[in-house]
Amino acid sequence: MSAVVTIRQPTMTATSTHTQAPLRSYGMTPPISTKHPDPQDYVESQNLEDTLRSFEYFESNDDLLHRVHVMERLNSLVREWVRTVSIEKNMPTEIAETVGGCVHTFGSYRLGVHAKGGDIDTLVIAPRHIDRTDFFTSFVECLQRQSEVRDLHSIEEAYAPVIKLKFDGIEIDMLFARLALSSIPDNLDLKDDKILRNLDPHCVRSLNGCRVADEILDLVPNRETFKSTLRAIKLWAKKRGLYSNALGFFGGVTWAMLVARVCQLYPNATASTLVHRFFRVYADWQWPKPVLLKSINDSQYGFRIWDTRVNAGDRFHLMPIITPAYPQQNSTHNVTQSTKKLIESEFKRGLETVNNIFASKGQWKDLFVSEPFFQRYKHFIILLLSTSDEKQFNAWSGLIEAKIRILIGHLEKNSYIDIAHVNSDTYTPDPSVFQQDNESDSSNSNSPMFSNMWTVGLQFKNINNIQLDLTQELQAFTHAVYDTASLSKMNQENLKLHPR
């Protein structure tokens, strides 16, 4: 049977044709405006796209085609792997030929807004007789045999277990889900809630990325203007240091949902107008009022959904933005008081900048000006990680990023601290920063082979001549990290975590 690829190639540029008003209603409320664009709107949208191109945002057609070929190859590998494992589990060959298996994409690539050189988030979907152990053993072995594969790492113990690799130069993250089906049909509809029946939480979480991406695309009036707008907002968020779910800011799916909601409110607007309306809407948003693309519906399969009436913890979420696919979740539960202040401030700054652009007092490039992190603050905490083992280093780096919000929470409780801001960029520190520790530790006399540094900028309240001792906050953070590492049985030998 020939491989059937479920990947749709993203389009690269926005259309600027006049479209009719949508026949269906989108979103939770009627549109704010159904006004059609005027000629100047198209001019501004073209100026916006030209600016994005100046940042080398877009890939060439050859690069896009290369991604499609990589996905076709991976899809073929998955189908062959499912067939082989099925036969090894005593399934008749003629049946094993028909059970299927496929690769779906999600994230920026599925939405058609990936940047040049970006990775591809993928989901391997297998029938019920293929389990997660097979994925992390025989499928990993299958990948290792491929000449195109480099930098292969499997992280089975993660919250969302994943295989990371480079395939023919393209970075790929692969999740796994097995469905309660004897075979995987070629026309599988991932948006159908029934596919979640009898699945374990790991599989549901893995499926969530694909289901949410497909829902978003179906919930916007015009996919091309949505993509053009989202490209601009993603670049802005990255330039302003707001792009990281783990660090308490917003991740890619969150920015996509925010843009999608604005598209629903202005269904006929061009990308430039939607960027303007984006900042106007969210600069004045009354948090913690949630952002919703559709009504929350509990399909009654036993999975927890976001509901402030039922779940007490949901009432403390600061900036709830709710995924549209069951089981609906808040994609911003990591937001802290500090990151909320920073995001709100940047929304207002963005609105002011775009107002100037539309008043002919600025250019689109002004929106994408970054502010050097080390010029924003006078005081910093640094977290240094060092080890001589690459696999250990990768595992611990992920753990620290997942737990750093605990440090921020402790710092925010300090009455003298107004903002604790984690830099979304990490750095490889100069080996000299470890020399003092090495002098007192004969077992680690050489500089570490693998090291990383995270920085937290501190903004104090208007109090002069105060000396703060943050030892307690730093110790609480390191204890939380080491406790989690112990529970997960992570290797702690020859590893150091230095907060300063």
Side-chain angles (χ1 to χ4, degrees):
M1 172 179 279
S2 61
V4 177
V5 182
T6 59
I7 293 44
R8 304 183 186 101
Q9 180 176 348
T11 55
M12 187 171 65
T13 60
T15 59
S16 59
T17 57
H18 193 286
T19 56
Q20 295 297 316
L23 298 178
R24 55 175 276 199
S25 176
Y26 294 84
M28 302 280 292
T29 61
I32 293 175
S33 171
T34 57
K35 179 180 178 293
H36 284 278
D38 58 36
Q40 186 58 33
D41 293 327
Y42 291 120
V43 171
E44 286 296 345
S45 293
Q46 186 60 54
N47 291 339
L48 174 59
E49 181 169 325
D50 291 343
T51 303
L52 293 177
R53 291 187 182 282
S54 73
F55 284 94
E56 297 186 344
Y57 196 113
F58 298 94
E59 287 188 315
S60 67
N61 286 328
D62 287 343
D63 290 335
L64 289 170
L65 189 60
H66 177 56
R67 287 178 180 267
V68 173
H69 289 162
V70 166
M71 295 312 304
E72 289 174 342
R73 180 85 173 98
L74 284 173
N75 200 74
S76 297
L77 284 174
V78 166
R79 293 177 74 92
E80 180 59 29
W81 166 67
V82 170
R83 173 188 173 279
T84 300
V85 175
S86 300
I87 293 173
E88 290 174 351
K89 294 187 176 186
N90 299 319
M91 179 177 285
T93 302
E94 61 272 17
I95 297 178
E97 297 279 359
T98 66
V99 294
C102 58
V103 180
H104 280 254
T105 61
F106 61 100
S108 295
Y109 183 76
R110 174 67 186 98
L111 294 174
V113 295
H114 67 283
K116 183 177 181 179
D119 63 358
I120 302 179
D121 296 312
T122 66
L123 173 67
V124 173
I125 298 178
R128 62 193 177 199
H129 61 279
I130 308 293
D131 57 37
R132 193 173 300 277
T133 302
D134 296 320
F135 181 67
F136 282 101
T137 54
S138 60
F139 185 63
V140 169
E141 293 168 1
C142 172
L143 291 171
Q144 289 171 335
R145 292 192 294 268
Q146 310 308 312
S147 61
E148 304 98 327
V149 171
R150 297 285 186 274
D151 302 333
L152 177 64
H153 304 285
S154 59
I155 309 173
E156 192 171 357
E157 67 278 2
Y159 179 74
V162 62
I163 295 173
K164 292 177 172 286
L165 67 145
K166 281 187 178 179
F167 195 99
D168 203 6
I170 304 295
E171 291 188 19
I172 308 286
D173 286 356
M174 306 193 80
L175 305 183
F176 174 81
R178 67 167 180 172
L179 304 185
L181 301 171
S182 59
S183 62
I184 304 301
D186 294 334
N187 60 348
L188 178 67
D189 180 10
L190 291 182
K191 293 199 280 59
D192 187 350
D193 291 348
K194 294 185 180 65
I195 68 171
L196 303 183
R197 186 179 291 147
N198 300 321
L199 296 192
D200 64 68
H202 275 311
C203 289
V204 173
R205 283 197 296 268
S206 296
L207 283 161
N208 190 55
C210 294
R211 286 165 52 79
V212 168
D214 286 354
E215 284 281 5
I216 290 173
L217 290 174
D218 282 349
L219 289 168
V220 294
N222 185 311
R223 290 189 180 186
E224 296 308 316
T225 53
F226 162 74
K227 293 174 185 179
S228 298
T229 308
L230 181 54
R231 289 188 191 104
I233 296 303
K234 280 166 61 74
L235 179 61
W236 165 80
K238 290 178 179 179
K239 291 292 185 180
R240 302 304 297 175
L242 306 176
Y243 199 97
S244 175
N245 178 64
L247 299 182
F249 295 103
F250 293 170
V253 69
T254 300
W255 292 116
M257 289 188 289
L258 289 176
V259 170
R261 183 66 185 120
V262 174
C263 290
Q264 292 177 338
L265 295 173
Y266 300 90
N268 298 315
T270 62
S272 59
T273 301
L274 288 170
V275 170
H276 189 197
R277 299 300 185 268
F278 175 91
F279 289 110
R280 180 186 291 179
V281 167
Y282 296 117
D284 294 328
W285 193 267
Q286 300 301 303
W287 308 103
K289 175 185 175 183
V291 176
L292 293 162
L293 297 181
K294 61 185 289 190
S295 300
I296 295 177
N297 178 48
D298 189 350
S299 296
Q300 301 292 326
Y301 289 145
F303 301 110
R304 182 183 181 277
I305 64 172
W306 187 86
D307 189 340
T308 56
R309 299 167 301 177
V310 177
N311 308 313
D314 293 347
R315 299 166 198 162
F316 297 98
H317 292 170
L318 301 176
M319 304 179 81
I321 301 167
I322 311 305
T323 56
Y326 172 80
Q328 296 86 353
Q329 303 293 313
N330 174 24
S331 67
T332 62
H333 60 274
N334 287 342
V335 168
T336 68
Q337 291 289 352
S338 291
T339 54
K340 178 175 181 287
K341 290 178 183 178
L342 292 164
I343 293 168
E344 289 180 317
S345 173
E346 290 296 336
F347 280 150
K348 289 179 170 57
R349 175 196 167 275
L351 177 59
E352 181 180 352
T353 302
V354 180
N355 281 341
N356 287 336
I357 295 170
F358 275 78
S360 300
K361 297 178 181 178
Q363 298 177 309
W364 282 108
K365 66 180 182 180
D366 300 336
L367 183 64
F368 308 114
V369 173
S370 58
E371 183 177 2
F373 185 82
F374 296 102
Q375 294 180 16
R376 300 177 84 164
Y377 304 99
K378 295 180 179 180
H379 304 277
F380 301 89
I381 290 171
I382 62 172
L383 305 173
L384 296 165
L385 175 69
S386 61
T387 177
S388 58
D389 181 84
E390 183 179 12
K391 185 176 181 180
Q392 183 188 34
F393 170 76
N394 290 331
W396 277 77
S397 292
L399 174 61
I400 290 171
E401 288 213 345
K403 295 297 182 183
I404 204 166
R405 66 181 183 274
I406 294 176
L407 172 60
I408 302 305
H410 287 301
L411 292 171
E412 288 178 342
K413 292 176 183 177
N414 189 301
S415 59
Y416 296 115
I417 295 177
D418 185 38
I419 289 178
H421 180 183
V422 185
N423 190 353
S424 57
D425 293 326
T426 58
Y427 304 90
T428 301
D430 189 280
S432 63
V433 302
F434 298 99
Q435 288 177 355
Q436 182 177 354
D437 300 281
N438 294 340
E439 291 171 0
S440 60
D441 185 358
S442 59
S443 66
N444 188 24
S445 58
N446 298 318
S447 297
M449 187 180 301
F450 301 99
S451 59
N452 215 346
M453 181 173 75
W454 294 262
T455 53
V456 181
L458 298 178
Q459 178 175 303
F460 300 120
K461 296 177 181 176
N462 294 324
I463 302 173
N464 296 321
N465 300 321
I466 294 294
Q467 289 189 341
L468 292 182
D469 182 358
L470 300 178
T471 303
Q472 186 174 353
E473 288 87 344
L474 293 174
Q475 286 180 343
F477 165 70
T478 54
H479 288 161
V481 171
Y482 280 109
D483 287 347
T484 301
S486 297
L487 288 173
S488 301
K489 298 180 180 179
M490 294 172 63
N491 179 18
Q492 300 184 28
E493 294 183 5
N494 301 319
L495 176 139
K496 283 188 176 294
L497 173 59
H498 322 246
R500 296 179 180 175

